[in-house]
Amino acid sequence: MRAFSYERASTIEAAAKAAASTDGAKFIAGGTNLLDLMKLEIETPTHLIDVNRLGVDRIEPTPEGGLRIGALVRNTDLAADERIRRDYAVLARALLAGASGQLRNRATTAGNLLQRTRCPYFYDTSQPCNKRQPGSGCSALSGFSRQLAVVGVSDACIANHPSDMAVAMRALDAIVETVRSDGTTRSVPIADLHRLPGDTPHIEHVLERGELITAVVLPKPLSGKHIYRKVRDRASYAFALVSIAAVVLPDGTGRVAVGGIAPKPWRDEAAERELPNGARAVTAKLLANARPTEQNAFKMALVERTLSAVLAEARG
């Protein structure tokens, strides 16, 4: 791990300003992803800004009938909150399907959204990776790609996004609230937060330098059956091959977001309109532009089968 300086931010505005004015600065809260990457020298921040004391660690009702989740709410606390379990069950189930209890105790809401890919070539500093070192190439294209993305990919990168929580939040149409370095605020739909790789896979989200996530807002609760189903190589502490966050109404309509298959939580509202026609019809639209490799082409069928199981569960 390389040497770095450290400060504890006292206000949100001060944290954002410090990050924008200091080259190589990074925010740190739980550190469950960042510290691992620093040990491998994949992330090499020169300055860490500790945001744990900023007070954005509460879950509060909104005037519109939803919930505002502070950026520093730990995953364990979010999953255990009575309102989340009752009204946003798909989110609670997604959180409990992710990582281990120890990691959930430290991981934060904002950090979970911004965690980086677990592509093996991103973690192997001896191998070319455009996400880690722009312009070096993508080793996964001709290498081991079983876990990686099949849709939303490019010739520069086929890494997938690892979050379970983000998939559920995409199904719920969450809004991400931020503060910029000049003190102005903005609201970013979670659908727009993560970028597809294109020719710049190292640019993973739309946040500006120094911009700090302060909260995630959930709209009014959705009725219907909330289901999160995660398919993985082992029963616990593993990232998804395919995961599905679904809210299904009695008439068969609803919402579906898919994880494990793309560089961001994958949802297609046009595909959702096919829900009454079954999993095959939904999957055909959802993966219409897929570009699987020989090793991960099985995910195409796995999405359909997992969604079929979800719809069967919804029907009881």
Side-chain angles (χ1 to χ4, degrees):
M1 184 182 291
R2 299 186 187 182
F4 58 90
S5 54
Y6 171 88
E7 70 172 292
R8 287 185 176 135
S10 57
T11 67
I12 293 170
E13 293 74 16
K17 188 173 294 184
S21 61
T22 307
D23 289 337
K26 289 277 186 180
F27 299 120
I28 186 167
T32 58
N33 189 203
L34 178 59
L35 290 176
D36 284 344
L37 295 174
M38 289 173 65
K39 292 173 184 177
L40 295 170
E41 296 193 355
I42 295 168
E43 291 275 14
T44 55
T46 58
H47 185 64
L48 290 184
I49 302 166
D50 189 329
V51 296
N52 280 297
R53 300 186 179 187
L54 299 186
V56 286
D57 57 355
R58 294 182 292 275
I59 304 171
E60 302 169 315
T62 65
E64 296 77 21
L67 288 177
R68 176 174 285 102
I69 303 164
L72 295 176
V73 173
R74 308 291 165 169
N75 286 179
T76 294
D77 296 330
L78 184 57
D81 186 272
E82 180 181 356
R83 295 160 294 183
I84 297 294
R85 292 191 296 125
R86 181 187 65 229
D87 299 328
Y88 304 95
V90 66
L91 177 56
R93 290 167 182 162
L95 286 161
L96 293 174
S100 65
Q102 293 93 331
L103 285 173
R104 292 195 297 269
N105 289 343
R106 291 297 303 160
T108 63
T109 298
N112 191 307
L113 288 177
L114 298 181
Q115 64 181 297
R116 306 198 69 185
T117 183
R118 265 56 178 194
C119 173
Y121 298 102
F122 175 72
Y123 272 76
D124 185 350
T125 55
S126 69
Q127 298 291 327
C129 171
N130 288 319
K131 189 178 285 291
R132 177 171 28 82
Q133 185 177 356
S136 62
C138 176
S139 299
L141 287 171
S142 57
F144 181 73
S145 58
R146 182 174 182 274
Q147 290 276 355
L148 302 180
V150 298
V151 67
V153 300
S154 73
D155 292 335
C157 184
I158 60 171
N160 55 350
H161 195 272
S163 174
D164 290 287
M165 184 193 78
V167 181
M169 286 188 168
R170 178 66 182 93
L172 295 169
D173 276 338
I175 301 292
V176 178
E177 295 185 337
T178 71
V179 171
R180 293 186 175 105
S181 59
D182 62 1
T184 59
T185 62
R186 68 166 170 160
S187 298
V188 181
I190 195 168
D192 301 329
L193 178 65
H194 302 101
R195 290 168 47 114
L196 294 179
D199 296 327
T200 55
H202 61 291
I203 304 175
E204 298 175 347
H205 50 71
V206 300
L207 301 183
E208 301 169 1
R209 176 171 170 172
E211 190 170 5
L212 177 66
I213 294 176
T214 56
V216 177
V217 178
L218 301 180
K220 291 176 62 175
L222 292 171
S223 60
K225 186 79 169 179
H226 286 226
I227 299 169
Y228 188 77
R229 183 175 288 258
K230 181 176 181 178
V231 181
R232 44 192 164 177
D233 282 327
R234 58 180 187 268
S236 64
Y237 200 33
F239 296 100
L241 291 169
V242 166
S243 64
I244 290 181
V247 180
V248 184
L249 299 174
D251 64 0
T253 62
R255 298 182 184 179
V256 172
V258 185
I261 64 167
K264 60 190 292 185
W266 199 252
R267 182 178 167 202
D268 185 326
E269 283 80 353
E272 287 176 349
R273 290 193 283 273
E274 296 292 333
L275 276 170
N277 298 322
R280 179 167 296 181
V282 175
T283 306
K285 284 189 175 293
L286 189 73
L287 302 180
N289 297 312
R291 293 172 53 186
T293 68
E294 182 178 352
Q295 293 182 11
N296 66 16
F298 73 93
K299 288 191 176 188
M300 306 287 285
L302 188 57
V303 170
E304 180 183 334
R305 292 172 184 172
T306 306
L307 180 57
S308 180
V310 166
L311 296 179
E313 182 179 346
R315 292 192 298 268

